[in-house]
Amino acid sequence: MLADLEYHYKSASAFDKGQGINKLVLAHETEIEEVNNIPCFFWGSLTEPYLTAKCWSTIAKVVRSSFGPVPAHLKDPIVSAGAGRLRFEGFSSCNGVYVRLDMMPDSVDGEFIASGTTNVDFNEPILNALNSIQKNEKVVLSVGQSDVRIATEKTRITEKKVALPARWIKGLTSVQLYLADMTKVFELTRLQAIQLFQSIPKTNAKGDFYVVNRTGKFVFSILPIVGTVRVGGIHRLRLLEGVLPLINTLEIYQSGDKQTCALVANFGKMRLTMAFSPDSYRGFSGEGKALDSMIVDLPTEYIHGINSLLKANETFDPTLISIENDIDFITMDSLTANLSSMGLLGFDLPDNQHFYRRLPFKTQRIASLNPRLKNAKTLIENGDIEIIEQRLDYIEAKVKGSGVLHKVIIADDNAKCTCEWFTTYQATRGVCKHILAVRINRV
């Protein structure tokens, strides 16, 4: 089992009221020393504090939820600051629901002191305070602690030990691959969205449901027909109910294989994205969708080079970067795939483009968190692969298993293996270690 990553907040996040101004200071922590030494990422006020507080509460509701066998425990979200915006991201404890709040430049009025991504402390007092914020109140926000912090000394300063789930790291490497494969199917008004959610079964219904447009009225149905969107684990959508009365529009997206969906709630100055794994018992971290992109190792200097070029939340345009930095397109394709599989790229559905993310943990952890990739490399190191036939677009091999030889055939982009993993999942959760080993060996 993968161990969580342990952090120590030097002080707890604080929320103080006084003289008509609320001061919210979010403590931050990361294992990247140069980032952790930054005293403050952002300092300023919220232009829509009531709406922001409701969205933050929704994020907290997601990360405190679990729809699978993993117990629900509150885990602190990560926040990216840069390019004039803030992004808060997190997963449910079971890793089957991904949530992100994109706060556009107009949603804050202040100074971005530094660019980066870090964990922030969402403790119980903060969550309780968020629910008390009213529409006409003023809220000053600080991500990290600054010499000019307004929070009073009445707040008790404590050192808080927290853990960033390893599943979150794996989830970040795969969820954006799902998002990048999605297309928008429906766009609903506020009234249509509320009517749609009213058709969610009152009990935790099992089986697939589908979003259906019936002459302008959207409902959930158990009948799959042309033009519908599949939703697995429909009860998970209730996480969005708290902000539905505040939205302008609700966009519904679907992946190319029609198994995964995402909802984007638009509020004008900010938007809340929530993506759902194919079923409530499946998490994004276990899908293995990124494994094919990790076949070619990315040199460390590439990462340092990109870090020097891009700031957190900057648009990642491979073509433009290629031209401006004289990088050939083949190398750029490989670089993009590797950055994606390491969680350094996120994907914005409405803008249909990637953005750069500086992670709050060391990138060398990524390979160690993919046991299939480690096992595939072990097969190569042990000489357990025998190539039977190989052509430009075809390869056949035998790979040693536990007391058995597995047959692997790769023809163009199609791959098959005789192992139990492939028989059970048919590559719906990423390729097996035997196919992965043959592909790596071929490279």
Side-chain angles (χ1 to χ4, degrees):
M1 180 178 291
L2 298 174
D4 290 347
L5 310 182
E6 196 171 271
Y7 296 93
H8 295 268
Y9 290 122
K10 295 178 178 62
S11 61
S13 290
F15 185 87
D16 293 291
K17 289 189 175 184
Q19 300 179 346
I21 299 178
N22 300 317
K23 305 102 181 180
L24 176 60
V25 180
L26 296 179
H28 80 283
E29 181 70 19
T30 167
E31 70 174 9
I32 306 299
E33 185 176 351
E34 63 181 78
V35 178
N36 201 36
N37 287 334
I38 295 173
C40 188
F41 287 84
F42 170 81
W43 174 265
S45 60
L46 303 175
T47 60
E48 295 194 28
Y50 178 77
L51 175 59
T52 306
K54 290 299 181 184
C55 289
W56 282 341
S57 296
T58 300
I59 293 174
K61 188 185 300 183
V62 172
V63 301
R64 299 173 89 173
S65 300
S66 180
F67 302 96
V70 180
H73 296 291
L74 176 62
K75 303 295 184 181
D76 297 330
I78 62 173
V79 58
S80 295
R85 66 177 65 188
L86 296 170
R87 298 185 199 262
F88 289 79
E89 298 178 271
F91 288 90
S92 59
S93 292
C94 60
N95 221 233
V97 181
Y98 165 76
V99 64
R100 186 179 77 238
L101 175 65
D102 295 297
M103 299 180 64
M104 311 304 180
D106 290 344
S107 67
V108 291
D109 181 15
E111 181 182 1
F112 284 84
I113 301 168
S115 172
T117 302
T118 184
N119 274 53
V120 288
D121 171 27
F122 261 29
N123 56 45
E124 289 291 345
I126 291 295
L127 298 179
N128 293 333
L130 292 178
N131 293 323
S132 69
I133 292 177
Q134 302 300 311
K135 293 185 178 180
N136 296 324
E137 289 187 277
K138 182 175 181 180
V139 176
V140 174
L141 170 68
S142 172
V143 179
Q145 295 184 17
S146 164
D147 291 336
V148 294
R149 60 179 286 199
I150 303 176
T152 68
E153 294 304 320
K154 294 180 181 179
T155 302
R156 178 180 293 180
I157 302 301
T158 59
E159 181 171 317
K160 179 187 175 187
K161 183 184 295 185
V162 298
L164 175 68
R167 296 184 307 280
W168 281 29
I169 305 178
K170 295 184 67 177
L172 287 173
T173 68
S174 61
V175 71
Q176 58 83 28
L177 296 174
Y178 283 91
L179 295 177
D181 183 46
M182 290 186 178
T183 54
K184 185 168 72 172
V185 182
F186 299 124
E187 183 169 339
L188 287 63
T189 64
R190 180 187 305 159
L191 178 59
Q192 289 173 326
I194 292 174
Q195 289 175 335
L196 172 66
F197 273 66
Q198 288 174 342
S199 69
I200 297 178
K202 302 302 181 183
T203 58
N204 288 350
K206 296 181 179 180
D208 296 338
F209 281 78
Y210 301 85
V211 182
V212 179
N213 182 2
R214 293 177 177 169
T215 62
K217 182 178 181 179
F218 293 85
V219 296
F220 287 107
S221 170
I222 60 173
L223 301 176
I225 59 176
V226 177
T228 60
V229 174
R230 176 190 177 275
V231 180
I234 190 173
H235 53 288
R236 299 180 295 175
L237 270 62
R238 293 194 179 279
L239 292 167
L240 266 172
E241 286 182 326
V243 295
L244 281 182
L246 304 174
I247 68 171
N248 295 339
T249 60
L250 181 70
E251 299 175 359
I252 302 178
Y253 293 78
Q254 184 173 239
S255 60
D257 62 6
K258 303 186 185 304
Q259 295 297 301
T260 311
C261 69
L263 278 63
V264 178
N266 296 299
F267 304 97
K269 295 181 180 180
M270 62 191 78
R271 55 182 176 240
L272 189 71
T273 298
M274 206 172 287
F276 302 88
S277 63
D279 293 289
S280 56
Y281 59 85
R282 292 169 60 177
F284 285 110
S285 63
E287 295 300 289
K289 194 176 180 70
L291 288 172
D292 274 335
S293 300
M294 301 178 73
I295 291 177
V296 179
D297 290 330
L298 181 68
T300 305
E301 54 266 26
Y302 276 41
I303 302 173
H304 295 312
I306 289 294
N307 266 325
S308 66
L309 286 173
L310 300 175
K311 296 180 179 179
N313 292 336
E314 263 196 85
T315 298
F316 183 83
D317 187 331
T319 303
L320 188 61
I321 293 175
S322 219
I323 295 172
E324 289 183 345
N325 296 279
D326 195 25
I327 303 173
D328 65 84
F329 290 130
I330 295 178
T331 301
M332 196 66 223
D333 287 343
S334 177
L335 175 59
T336 302
N338 276 275
L339 291 173
S340 297
S341 61
M342 296 176 75
L344 296 175
L345 298 183
F347 192 81
D348 195 323
L349 280 170
D351 294 340
N352 193 33
Q353 62 187 14
H354 287 91
F355 62 87
Y356 193 68
R357 180 197 291 123
R358 288 189 174 188
L359 296 177
F361 36 78
K362 297 174 181 177
T363 52
Q364 54 262 42
R365 287 190 184 274
I366 303 302
S368 66
L369 294 173
N370 288 278
R372 263 181 278 168
L373 180 63
K374 290 171 60 179
N375 292 337
K377 292 183 176 180
T378 299
L379 289 172
I380 296 173
E381 293 168 1
N382 293 341
D384 293 336
I385 301 174
E386 179 186 355
I387 303 299
I388 306 301
E389 182 180 352
Q390 181 170 344
R391 302 191 300 271
L392 182 63
D393 56 353
Y394 179 89
I395 185 169
E396 182 178 335
K398 290 183 179 180
V399 183
K400 287 184 181 179
S402 300
V404 65
L405 278 176
H406 297 296
K407 186 177 181 180
V408 172
I409 295 178
I410 303 175
D412 294 324
D413 293 330
N414 299 314
K416 295 182 179 181
C417 182
T418 57
C419 72
E420 184 178 354
W421 175 273
F422 186 86
T423 302
T424 303
Y425 299 113
Q426 295 292 312
T428 58
R429 299 196 185 185
V431 296
C432 65
K433 63 181 180 181
H434 312 104
I435 293 175
L436 193 61
V438 173
R439 284 181 171 166
I440 296 174
N441 187 69
R442 190 178 188 179
V443 173

